[in-house]
Amino acid sequence: TKDFRRSIDYLDTRDDIDMERLGYMGISWGGAVAPMMLALEDRIRAVVIVVGGLLMQETQPMADPFNFLPRVKQPTVMINARWDSFYPLETAARPFFENLGAVGDRRELIIIDANHGVLSYARNQVVGEALEWLDTYLGPVR
């Protein structure tokens, strides 16, 4: 999280970066640890998580992404796979989604009939959903 925030501090020094339009995309582990990053970094305006979910390992409460989920208020779309063995839909993905702090139409769970390798099976669909979400909350690319 510290490295993530320092990276955003660096982006803030650049004239070619629009700090009002920063997004986060986490795939797999990057989605699982996203709550820690996003709860502590309010400069992120929109979130895309692909095949992420709750981590099934013991950890100290201060490092457990689950405890950060209610503080994630940014608009978040989760694109998960129905047959994901790393982040099973009913035990890892849905509980993650249901505990997000974003509410109403500021969150969406999209389920694709694939396994954890959803980007190999349905890349165009995943990319399309991600771009649509980012266009909605950050505006179209100029």
Side-chain angles (χ1 to χ4, degrees), residues 6-7 12 23 34 48 54 70 75 87 105 110-111 119 126 135 141:
R6 285 181 179 152
S7 297
D12 196 21
V48 175
L54 296 176
Y87 299 105
D105 63 354
I110 298 168
I111 301 164
L119 284 168
V126 172
D135 283 350
V141 175

Side-chain angles (χ1 to χ4, degrees), residues 52-99:
L54 296 176
L55 296 168
M56 298 300 159
Q57 61 190 33
E58 286 192 42
T59 186
Q60 296 177 350
M62 66 220 155
D64 188 342
F66 179 80
N67 293 326
F68 291 84
L69 279 168
R71 294 170 181 84
V72 176
K73 307 290 188 186
Q74 298 94 330
T76 303
V77 64
M78 289 182 65
I79 305 168
N80 282 77
R82 187 174 311 282
W83 301 295
D84 190 335
S85 59
F86 290 100
Y87 299 105
L89 184 59
E90 298 304 327
T91 58
R94 278 195 204 281
F96 185 108
F97 177 77
E98 290 167 358
N99 284 281

